[in-house]
Amino acid sequence: MHIETTAIQATTHTDSEYGSIGTPLYQTSNFRFRAPGESTGYDYTRSGNPTRATLENVLAQLEGGERAIAVSTGMSAISTVLAHFPAGSHIICTHDCYGGTARLLNHHKTSGTLDVSFVDLGDPSQLENYITSKTRCLWIETPSNPLLAVVDVSALTEIAHRYNLLVCVDNTFLSPFNFKPFKFGADIVVHSTTKWLNGHSDVVGGAIIAKTKEHGDRFAWLANALGTTTGVFDSWLVLRGIKTLGVRMRQHETNAHAVAQYLSKHHAVNEVFYPGLVSHATHHIATKLLEGFGGVISFRVNGGIKEVNKILAATKIFALAESLGGVESLIEHPATMSHASMGDELRANAGITDDIIRISIGIEHIDDLLADLEYALSLVSRSHSYSHSSLAEVIS
Ligand SMILES: *Cc1c(COP(=O)(O)O)cnc(C)c1O
């Protein structure tokens, strides 16, 4: 089945009693036993719930894994995976990862539970230099955030597996519609379902998907033990969001291409980061691994933070807000918003400068999106060209 069909078929769990087309919402904390020692398969919702099980089933199918666990947030997914490693394990992580991931890993590092190296994974041949006898895991986020560098997951995985590392890929930015990490050797995929998978900015959620049943069972056990599994209503909302994943992702990308092209030609913009652009540094890897480029774009503004703030204050359709992946367009400033928690040093090493703006492209009409950006960017150019025009007036 194609992914669009799976996204609809697998999210529909018909009840045996009434034949509902919509998946029933089993909003209950516990379940009656049929007899002593004989449950219906469900006893307590932290451990399992039929609505959440439907979501887990579709997530496993979309990624092509054996088992998925739906957890309360993307950070829950990451925390649960990290809990798998014995104390003192060493983790190698993409240096320009999500700010919350960096914060959590730094917490483990300073508290001494895990050792962590933040590494530029752009050159896979460098990976071996960081692997020690304690290294247990390679944590990949691709494309990186906010510079959208795509790394060669296939080459990295091959090296990591020579050293028996567990390869985890945070696939939030692309969604299974655009990238299938298991095809390129990943062992574990995590998602913040808050983003594209739910797609409607009304849920925070996460998922862990395992390629093997053994890992799936291990993470299901950990999620239950840690209490990170997600709520029933949130599961139901994500199920509903996933039904339209295909049409949404296609429209997000069509709009993103148009915006990226537009920004590339604008004189207020210094550099555009979008893996779908031929000019992007990792475009060649992106075309090799990805089925689509997603809907997030970052760009450098000429004139620095003062001009950045003008743009952020001026857009009307692009809402000034963190996060991404919803049907509505958003604009944000990584240095002071999404990546503030990373800390100055790590942020500087990852090249996340103050003049960068990140936008998440929604599915509004492209003409309205471009008009909104045109107005905001024109404020920058007018202030730059003001002295020129006034000078021209004086001369004439
Ligand atoms: C948002 C995000 C997370 C964290 O997810 P939450 O649902 O906010 O906890 C993790 N990784 C990436 C790449 C994200 O964008």
Side-chain angles (χ1 to χ4, degrees):
M1 265 199 291
H2 292 86
I3 193 164
E4 294 87 342
T5 314
T6 303
I8 290 163
Q9 291 293 309
T11 47
T12 305
H13 178 88
T14 303
D15 71 293
S16 49
E17 211 158 321
Y18 304 113
S20 69
I21 294 294
T23 296
L25 174 61
Y26 290 96
Q27 188 73 24
T28 180
S29 58
N30 45 0
F31 298 82
R32 190 189 279 244
F33 277 59
R34 286 196 179 111
E38 195 193 318
S39 80
T40 57
Y42 294 101
D43 47 33
Y44 188 58
T45 284
R46 171 160 44 73
S47 322
N49 177 286
T51 308
R52 194 168 67 224
T54 306
L55 173 61
E56 291 170 336
N57 178 38
V58 70
L59 288 167
Q61 287 191 46
L62 291 175
E63 284 289 359
E66 274 298 315
R67 183 166 184 184
I69 303 99
V71 292
S72 60
T73 62
M75 290 317 302
S76 273
I78 299 169
S79 301
T80 306
V81 173
L82 293 181
H84 167 70
F85 301 104
S89 297
H90 175 237
I91 310 245
I92 297 175
C93 176
T94 317
H95 73 148
D96 46 0
C97 61
Y98 175 69
T101 306
R103 176 171 54 197
L104 178 64
L105 286 169
N106 273 325
H107 162 72
H108 279 292
K109 196 172 171 171
T110 52
S111 68
T113 45
L114 295 171
D115 189 18
V116 184
S117 300
F118 292 98
V119 172
D120 181 352
L121 298 178
D123 179 2
S125 70
Q126 295 297 307
L127 177 62
E128 272 179 305
N129 301 338
Y130 298 92
I131 298 175
T132 72
S133 60
K134 296 246 166 75
T135 312
R136 294 283 172 273
C137 169
L138 173 63
W139 194 277
I140 300 174
E141 197 181 306
T142 190
S144 67
N145 175 8
L147 299 182
L148 301 158
V150 181
V151 295
D152 193 338
V153 175
S154 178
L156 289 164
T157 301
E158 204 203 300
I159 298 162
H161 281 165
R162 271 188 242 146
Y163 295 86
N164 282 325
L165 310 190
L166 193 74
V167 178
C168 304
V169 175
D170 184 333
N171 197 24
T172 299
F173 260 53
L174 289 165
S175 89
F177 189 76
N178 287 327
F179 185 46
K180 297 273 193 350
F182 291 141
K183 275 198 197 164
F184 300 95
D187 301 300
I188 306 294
V189 170
V190 300
H191 276 284
S192 167
T193 55
T194 312
K195 318 294 169 52
W196 306 109
L197 279 166
N198 179 59
H200 292 74
S201 310
D202 49 14
V203 172
V204 286
I208 304 161
I209 302 115
K211 187 152 121 186
T212 65
K213 182 175 178 311
E214 187 195 2
H215 280 137
D217 293 350
R218 166 72 171 158
F219 289 116
W221 184 90
L222 273 171
N224 182 50
L226 294 166
T228 52
T229 52
T230 196
V232 189
F233 186 54
D234 283 355
S235 300
W236 187 84
L237 282 171
V238 178
L239 274 170
R240 192 169 115 145
I242 286 175
K243 287 179 194 294
T244 54
L245 183 69
V247 282
R248 281 189 288 111
M249 292 316 289
R250 234 176 244 119
Q251 192 59 45
H252 283 297
E253 176 155 341
T254 304
N255 283 355
H257 269 289
V259 170
Q261 295 287 355
Y262 163 80
L263 290 172
S264 313
K265 290 180 200 127
H266 204 288
H267 60 273
V269 175
N270 190 305
E271 189 175 3
V272 181
F273 303 94
Y274 182 62
L277 286 177
V278 180
S279 59
H280 190 263
T282 63
H283 179 70
H284 60 292
I285 305 171
T287 49
K288 205 170 78 180
L289 302 190
L290 315 184
E291 284 151 58
F293 304 109
V296 178
I297 300 171
S298 296
F299 58 99
R300 280 207 162 96
V301 179
N302 281 328
I305 188 72
K306 208 169 127 247
E307 308 305 321
V308 162
N309 283 333
K310 281 188 200 161
I311 297 170
L312 296 178
T315 57
K316 294 203 167 57
I317 295 176
F318 283 84
L320 180 58
E322 290 187 18
S323 198
L324 57 111
V327 289
E328 55 288 292
S329 293
L330 304 176
I331 188 163
E332 71 110 13
H333 185 227
T336 56
M337 294 169 72
S338 60
H339 290 65
S341 61
M342 222 173 157
D344 295 344
E345 194 191 328
L346 205 54
R347 206 166 52 239
N349 285 343
I352 307 168
T353 47
D354 285 355
D355 58 354
I356 293 175
I357 287 179
R358 189 187 78 187
I359 50 182
S360 177
I361 308 295
I363 59 172
E364 302 92 339
H365 197 285
I366 185 62
D367 293 350
D368 297 327
L369 295 183
L370 292 177
D372 199 35
L373 289 172
E374 177 65 18
Y375 170 70
L377 291 172
S378 77
L379 297 180
V380 175
S381 44
R382 249 183 242 135
S383 78
H384 276 315
S385 60
Y386 185 70
S387 54
H388 298 293
S389 53
S390 54
L391 189 65
E393 272 166 34
V394 171
I395 292 168
S396 65

